[in-house]
Amino acid sequence: MSTQPDLLYSEEEEALRAAVRDLLADHCDAPGVIARVESDAPHHPALWKALTDGMGLAGLLVPEELDGQGATHREAAVVLEELGRAVAPVPYLTSAVVATEALLACAADDLITELASGTSIGALAVALDVAPGAAYKVVRHENGLLRGELTGIADAAVADVLLVPADDGGLYAVDATAATVTPQISLDLTRPLATVTLDGAPGRLLGDAEPAVRQALRAGAGLLASEQLGLADWTLTETVRYLKDRKQFNRPVGGFQALKHRLAQLWLEVANLRAAARNAADALSTGQDTDVAVTVAQAYAAPVAVHAAEEALQLHGGIGMTWEHPVHLYLKRAKADSIAYGTAGAHREALAGLVDLQAP
């Protein structure tokens, strides 16, 4: 018997939000993020250490007996909302959600414990644009060694362990030092992509790749909606604040009727996105109607996040076009997220099959 999803935030979730937001306010200001993406090392090791070592957030989805927090996807979603609001350059979605889910599916307890503590960073070696249930590239498994090239792997540059699917149907753990990781040019510099080349790298068999990758990508897609929510919410809030302060013809720009209508429309879209993202997080935590909830959230999230970032860029006028203003970080993340773990169109197509509503 199914129960109604709880879309509201609990007191504990609001307390977690406040703690993460305070931490990000101290460690992840916009000028700092812009400076990082201009360097060769966009990732923020000190922030990652504070999130994992200090707050234990890498282990939210990990059971307590494996040194995790024993929390649910709802709490992880709250963390991702805040990381989205700050466009934080940390591998939380890729390591603490996607790679961790793959390891949980394989019951790889030792690696799960390492990722939960934050001592290791994991990356699933599947391209960032692959949707749950879609085909993905594999490497060759020959005489116990792995050979092949995989492209579009998010956060591979900082991973300590790569989870690599092979042509024998297995998922293998590969020490990142045994692979050649070559950075790719990516639009979103806060979540860099890389090509992973394996030339006779030893791998440890963890389990069957297909169910592990499917579970990992589904959780990644579902919780990505919360990151997109945080991003859209920040751009809307910041745009409203700017339009209240900015004056034209001796009155606040936000007082003009045409702009009020645009902001009201955006507010409705963000409110709807919050419902869809919360529903996906709740479904992932309870296991009820998960596939439908995730596809609905992803079909809706990308267009809203991109629209919010585009409106922010336009309504900030000239200053919004500058490199110094952080709005470009949000637009790039929104555009990159719009193809991560499947496009909105791919999710709409998947949803049609799930609810038996085929095209004529």
Side-chain angles (χ1 to χ4, degrees):
M1 179 178 159
S2 66
T3 56
Q4 287 292 99
D6 181 8
L7 305 187
L8 301 177
Y9 299 97
S10 67
E11 284 185 26
E12 292 80 5
E13 287 163 358
E14 290 292 8
L16 174 62
R17 177 196 307 287
V20 176
R21 190 173 293 190
D22 285 349
L23 179 70
L24 291 169
D26 292 340
H27 287 79
C28 194
D29 62 334
V33 176
I34 293 170
R36 285 193 169 279
V37 300
E38 288 179 321
S39 72
D40 293 332
H43 281 101
H44 196 327
L47 175 59
W48 181 246
K49 186 172 175 57
L51 289 166
T52 57
D53 218 11
M55 298 182 72
L57 298 182
L60 282 181
L61 300 180
V62 176
E64 290 181 27
E65 58 266 25
L66 296 176
D67 298 337
Q69 301 296 323
T72 71
H73 298 81
R74 291 173 60 96
E75 287 81 9
V78 169
V79 173
L80 279 162
E81 279 182 43
E82 293 307 310
L83 294 177
R85 285 180 65 88
V87 206
V90 290
Y92 190 84
L93 182 65
T94 46
S95 181
V97 176
V98 176
T100 297
E101 284 275 359
L103 292 173
L104 287 168
C106 295
D109 292 358
D110 56 333
L111 284 175
I112 292 170
T113 302
E114 287 180 22
L115 260 62
S117 65
T119 52
S120 283
I121 294 172
L124 180 66
V126 172
L128 184 62
D129 63 347
V130 174
Y136 50 87
K137 197 173 173 186
V138 297
V139 298
R140 299 189 310 282
H141 182 256
E142 300 172 353
N143 305 320
L145 299 176
L146 301 171
R147 301 180 188 278
E149 184 178 274
L150 301 165
T151 57
I153 312 301
D155 293 330
V158 290
D160 300 296
V161 60
L162 299 165
L163 310 180
V164 183
D167 58 3
D168 65 348
L171 186 68
Y172 290 84
V174 176
D175 191 316
T177 56
T180 304
V181 179
T182 311
Q184 290 179 242
I185 296 173
S186 46
L187 176 65
D188 176 16
L189 298 174
T190 60
R191 183 175 284 144
L193 305 178
T195 297
V196 172
T197 307
L198 302 174
D199 189 11
R204 179 181 133 211
L205 180 62
L206 300 172
D208 291 340
E210 184 61 35
V213 170
R214 185 180 294 269
Q215 178 176 323
L217 295 183
R218 186 175 69 174
L223 294 186
L224 177 67
S226 291
E227 177 185 290
Q228 290 164 305
L229 167 61
L231 187 155
D233 191 56
W234 183 92
T235 51
L236 173 60
T237 304
E238 211 41 42
T239 304
V240 170
R241 187 192 63 75
Y242 176 77
L243 293 181
K244 283 180 177 177
D245 293 343
R246 178 86 169 89
K247 288 192 168 53
Q248 193 81 43
F249 307 116
N250 208 28
R251 59 179 285 194
V253 174
F256 293 109
Q257 192 75 5
L259 299 190
K260 284 182 179 179
H261 285 173
R262 286 169 69 171
L263 293 171
Q265 176 61 35
L266 197 54
W267 184 89
L268 283 173
E269 291 179 14
V270 173
N272 289 337
L273 172 53
R274 178 170 284 105
R278 292 301 294 162
N279 186 44
D282 188 71
L284 283 165
S285 65
T286 61
Q288 292 187 339
D289 296 328
T290 310
D291 288 334
V292 171
V294 168
T295 50
V296 166
Q298 269 309 305
Y300 191 74
V304 173
V306 172
H307 182 215
E310 287 176 344
E311 288 286 73
L313 185 73
Q314 289 188 16
L315 296 177
H316 272 80
I319 194 172
M321 299 297 292
T322 64
W323 185 257
E324 289 74 18
H325 196 281
V327 72
H328 65 90
L329 296 173
Y330 291 84
L331 180 57
K332 290 168 186 170
R333 172 67 71 89
K335 293 291 281 185
D337 281 356
S338 70
I339 61 169
Y341 306 117
T343 61
H347 284 283
R348 280 195 293 272
E349 193 174 327
L351 179 62
L354 289 170
V355 298
D356 197 23
L357 188 67
Q358 301 300 333

